[in-house]
Amino acid sequence: MAKPNSPITEHLAYLLAQANREINRQLELRLSKEGVPVEQWRILKVLSDGNGHSMGELADAVLLNHPTLTKMIDRMVSDTLVYRVQDPNDRRKVLMFISDRGKVLCKKLNSLAVDQEEHILESYGDKSTSELKRLLESLIDSSN
Amino acid sequence: MAKPNSPITEHLAYLLAQANREINRQLELRLSKEGVPVEQWRILKVLSDGNGHSMGELADAVLLNHPTLTKMIDRMVSDTLVYRVQDPNDRRKVLMFISDRGKVLCKKLNSLAVDQEEHILESYGDKSTSELKRLLESLIDSSN
DNA sequence: TTGAAAATATTGAATATTCAAGAATTGAAG
DNA sequence: CTTCAATTCTTGAATATTCAATATTTTCAA
């Protein structure tokens, strides 16, 4: 008998891509109110601990390749949202810091993002959301 | 008292992006054995039902914008994996079909993808995987 | 101490994606 | 019928991303 080839919509990789696309689209829509791409919000959020973060560290944290990050940071420096400082302990590294202007923007973006999370909680449910988060974390863990 | 700003790693949007990136990276790695990007595998898989699918339908199914799909299909036509036929019932539409060569390739890709799914099942577990799939489907549903 | 290898970030060329506009066809209202 | 709006797909220009190569600094073994 013929093996019924599972449709693409049943693959985990596809479901993840689809869910990610949809949620990201919604978030993008909100952040566009401030004219900021999702990646820049991530960068600002990571830097908003006030510490310096190297480019490599940042690239990992915000899920961008090094060259892509470099060019995005160039733009953000032009917009005076962040600034570069050479790491005094290891001069190969560049430490990124958030500016005051960046902090102000980040706050606005955070509340837009919180809006979205709340909207998800409403339509999707408290329980499902936290369970999904748990499973995603554990999937990520098990992939390393 | 200060509101502790939740780190980016706790946002659903971030967890989805991270999981998607990782799983996609793994799949990419396997499919690269045949030199095919993930999106092309999706296209072949959708077309492998043997029916004609319009570009709009395909774009939705494989999570690509229209112009991006058009250009990717151009490449696949050059590689004789798929071909275009004008829809006789609505001449605005183009129906895409998979070629014999495309079918052969798709089979090979399917087994590479199955390898990955099995690898995930092993390291992540049967139960978690099906539960995660269920939650993702329901998230996608609730977003429409 | 020196010199080769590793780590870090950036650059430039090649490639891919996106946005806005265009061409062709259909639908449907007057 | 005719015309105008909507649908479908493609194109070209602008933008963004990636790959490979480069420059700089550090590490570490000989």
Side-chain angles (χ1 to χ4, degrees):
Chain A
M1 51 194 169
K3 185 169 61 182
N5 227 327
S6 73
I8 191 141
T9 51
E10 284 175 12
H11 285 263
L12 179 56
Y14 181 82
L15 290 170
L16 279 171
Q18 196 181 1
N20 178 51
R21 186 179 162 91
E22 180 56 28
I23 298 300
N24 202 58
R25 197 190 57 74
Q26 288 174 19
L27 181 55
E28 216 164 44
L29 198 66
R30 314 222 174 205
L31 299 191
S32 72
K33 195 184 158 196
E34 296 289 339
V36 176
V38 175
E39 291 78 12
Q40 290 198 14
W41 170 58
R42 288 201 197 120
I43 293 171
L44 290 174
K45 200 154 174 61
V46 170
L47 296 186
S48 65
D49 67 1
N51 299 324
H53 294 262
S54 75
M55 291 297 280
E57 205 185 323
L58 250 191
D60 283 351
V62 304
L63 314 176
L64 288 177
N65 298 345
H66 284 222
T68 306
L69 178 63
T70 292
K71 285 156 192 173
M72 181 158 286
I73 288 288
D74 286 347
R75 279 169 247 148
M76 295 177 76
V77 169
S78 297
D79 296 341
T80 65
L81 297 172
V82 299
Y83 57 94
R84 291 177 162 98
V85 174
Q86 174 143 269
D87 185 338
N89 296 119
D90 183 342
R91 279 148 59 220
R92 290 171 302 183
K93 294 187 184 175
V94 172
L95 297 180
M96 297 305 312
F97 289 90
I98 189 168
S99 71
D100 289 344
R101 214 166 107 60
K103 283 179 199 161
V104 171
L105 177 58
C106 191
K107 275 212 180 109
K108 289 189 220 163
L109 298 173
N110 283 342
S111 83
L112 294 174
V114 166
D115 278 356
Q116 191 210 14
E117 294 259 318
E118 277 168 4
H119 174 257
I120 293 172
L121 282 176
E122 265 178 40
S123 63
Y124 185 53
D126 242 58
K127 195 123 177 292
S128 294
T129 304
S130 61
E131 180 64 3
L132 177 55
K133 285 187 183 177
R134 195 185 63 74
L135 281 168
L136 286 172
E137 276 166 7
S138 119
L139 174 65
I140 293 159
D141 268 7
S142 83
S143 300
N144 299 329
Chain B
M1 51 193 167
K3 184 169 59 182
N5 228 329
S6 73
I8 192 141
T9 51
E10 283 176 12
H11 284 263
L12 179 56
Y14 181 81
L15 289 171
L16 278 171
Q18 197 182 0
N20 178 52
R21 187 179 160 91
E22 179 58 27
I23 297 299
N24 202 59
R25 197 190 56 75
Q26 287 174 18
L27 181 55
E28 216 164 44
L29 197 66
R30 314 222 174 203
L31 299 191
S32 71
K33 196 184 157 197
E34 296 289 339
V36 177
V38 175
E39 290 79 11
Q40 290 199 13
W41 170 60
R42 289 201 197 121
I43 292 170
L44 291 174
K45 200 153 175 59
V46 169
L47 296 186
S48 64
D49 66 1
N51 300 323
H53 294 262
S54 75
M55 291 295 280
E57 205 186 323
L58 249 191
D60 284 350
V62 304
L63 314 176
L64 287 177
N65 299 345
H66 285 219
T68 307
L69 178 64
T70 292
K71 286 155 190 171
M72 181 159 285
I73 289 288
D74 285 347
R75 279 168 248 149
M76 295 177 77
V77 169
S78 296
D79 295 342
T80 66
L81 297 172
V82 298
Y83 56 94
R84 290 178 163 98
V85 174
Q86 175 142 269
D87 186 338
N89 295 118
D90 183 342
R91 281 147 60 217
R92 289 170 301 183
K93 294 187 184 174
V94 173
L95 297 181
M96 297 305 311
F97 289 90
I98 189 170
S99 71
D100 289 345
R101 215 166 106 61
K103 283 179 199 161
V104 171
L105 177 58
C106 189
K107 275 214 180 106
K108 287 188 221 163
L109 297 173
N110 284 341
S111 82
L112 294 173
V114 166
D115 279 355
Q116 191 210 13
E117 295 258 318
E118 277 167 4
H119 175 258
I120 292 172
L121 282 175
E122 265 177 41
S123 63
Y124 185 53
D126 241 58
K127 195 122 176 291
S128 294
T129 304
S130 60
E131 180 64 2
L132 177 55
K133 284 186 184 180
R134 195 185 64 73
L135 282 168
L136 286 172
E137 276 166 7
S138 120
L139 174 65
I140 293 159
D141 268 7
S142 83
S143 302
N144 300 329

